[in-house]
């Protein structure tokens, strides 16, 4: 098989039609963007690491009963997924105040929150993904009902709980992260979609508070790929000795997929 037609191209990923109705292929690019596309660069190897890290986390979430769009990883840069209509809402979960929260509300950077905070932003690049309330989401029909919204919020907290434990076990503080959900095109189930990776989370080393995430790119801290690699190593995804920057990546090949 080869990939079907391109359905969508975002900042860091491309979605192609998959081999069967309702499936897609999610391709991870090396492109990094920040501040609503104003800052752009190519970080060689980032797509490969995010593909592996996201696969690891989504598979683990699946094992605790969170249904996700991931069917399986196909190769270094691609995953077979269930195609979803993504709700135009980003769910941000925060354990420690930093980033836009501190800027918006003047909260001291690094304040530990008493309880995880779930925020919502409307996915709209032209408007800069503004923070919105539950009432906005329901009023404008971005999610169909209050029950669905509450169900998703509950999942966000469960995911936070699980991921905090997973990262804490490898010496990383899960500061905050972004999730996206959607309704499967064919079966209409709500699934966790998109990716969970150092591009979408803030991850700080427990003792040094060194940033191991996309803030290295946003804030020009350097050593981006080394930080992502460190996350992958600690999670046991890549071997201690592997150095992604030294690996030469050819064109991804899709294996074992036949178009019906
Ligand atoms: P903040 O609102 O502080 O900028 O971001 C909160 C968390 O959500 C961070 O972990 C950040 O990486 C993630 N996040 C928020 N919006 C986006 C987005 O549009 N793209 C990505 N990759 N991550 C986001």
């Amino acid at each position: 098989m080869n990939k079907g037609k391109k359905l969508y191209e975002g900042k860091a990923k491309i979605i192609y039609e998959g081999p069967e109705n309702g499936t897609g292929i999610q391709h991870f690019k090396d492109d990094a963007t920040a501040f609503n596309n104003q800052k752009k660069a190519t970080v060689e190897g980032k797509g490969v690491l995010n593909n592996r890290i996201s696969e690891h986390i989504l598979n683990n979430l699946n094992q605790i009963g969170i249904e996700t769009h991931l069917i399986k990883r196909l190769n270094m840069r691609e995953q077979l997924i269930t195609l979803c209509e993504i709700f135009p809402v980003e769910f941000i979960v925060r354990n420690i105040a930093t980033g836009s929260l501190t800027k918006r509300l003047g909260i001291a950077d690094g304040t530990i929150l008493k309880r995880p905070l779930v925020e919502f932003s409307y996915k709209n690049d032209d408007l800069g993904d503004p923070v919105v309330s539950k009432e906005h989401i329901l009023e404008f029909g971005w999610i169909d009902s209050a029950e669905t919204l509450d169900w998703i919020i509950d999942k966000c907290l469960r995911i936070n709980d699980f991921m905090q434990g997973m990262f804490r076990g490898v010496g990383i503080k899960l500061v905050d992260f972004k999730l996206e959900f959607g309704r499967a095109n064919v079966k209409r189930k709500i699934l966790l979609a998109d990716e969970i990776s150092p591009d979408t989370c803030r991850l700080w080393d427990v003792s040094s508070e060194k940033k191991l995430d996309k803030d290295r790119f946003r804030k020009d801290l350097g050593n981006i790929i080394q930080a992502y690699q460190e996350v992958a190593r600690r999670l046991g995804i890549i071997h201690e000795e592997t150095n992604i920057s030294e690996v030469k990546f050819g064109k991804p090949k899709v294996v074992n997929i036949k178009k019906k």
Side-chain angles (χ1 to χ4, degrees), residues 238-250:
I238 60 169
H239 191 265
E240 283 298 315
E241 312 271 305
T242 305
N243 189 348
I244 290 284
S245 9
E246 288 166 6
V247 179
K248 291 279 162 252
F249 304 109

Side-chain angles (χ1 to χ4, degrees), residues 129-260:
D129 295 349
V131 173
V132 294
S133 69
K134 270 187 174 183
E135 285 71 21
H136 289 109
I137 297 174
L138 298 174
E139 174 63 29
F140 302 117
W142 296 328
I143 285 178
D144 46 53
S145 71
E147 289 70 37
T148 304
L149 182 53
D150 286 341
W151 183 89
I152 294 176
I153 295 168
D154 193 59
K155 294 289 174 257
C156 288
L157 293 170
R158 178 77 188 98
I159 292 168
N160 182 48
D161 212 40
F162 174 81
M163 288 203 338
Q164 258 194 318
M166 179 186 75
F167 280 118
R168 188 48 77 116
V170 295
I172 293 174
K173 286 187 207 174
L174 177 62
V175 175
D176 57 28
F177 58 99
K178 176 207 57 146
L179 298 174
E180 296 190 20
F181 291 82
R183 214 176 260 288
N185 284 6
V186 176
K187 291 195 176 155
R188 310 305 293 157
K189 264 190 169 180
I190 298 174
L191 302 177
L192 172 67
D194 195 55
E195 68 174 291
I196 303 182
S197 71
D199 264 12
T200 63
C201 301
R202 284 198 177 93
L203 304 168
W204 295 353
D205 177 76
V206 167
S207 30
S208 66
E209 303 226 316
K210 182 180 169 193
K211 297 181 198 314
L212 300 171
D213 57 62
K214 193 172 163 185
D215 271 355
R216 302 205 72 82
F217 171 69
R218 295 187 187 102
K219 294 172 181 270
D220 290 323
L221 299 174
N223 295 331
I224 306 166
I225 211 67
Q226 289 78 358
Y228 283 41
Q229 202 164 255
E230 175 73 23
V231 173
R233 279 200 193 118
R234 291 202 200 177
L235 290 173
I237 299 169
I238 60 169
H239 191 265
E240 283 298 315
E241 312 271 305
T242 305
N243 189 348
I244 290 284
S245 9
E246 288 166 6
V247 179
K248 291 279 162 252
F249 304 109
K251 260 187 103 174
K253 289 186 187 66
V254 176
V255 285
N256 290 336
I257 297 216
K258 295 203 176 68
K259 189 142 190 157
K260 285 198 175 156

Side-chain angles (χ1 to χ4, degrees), residues 36-48:
N36 207 2
N37 248 342
Q38 287 175 51
K39 180 170 180 174
K40 290 184 198 179
T42 300
V43 181
E44 206 178 324
K46 178 175 81 78
V48 171

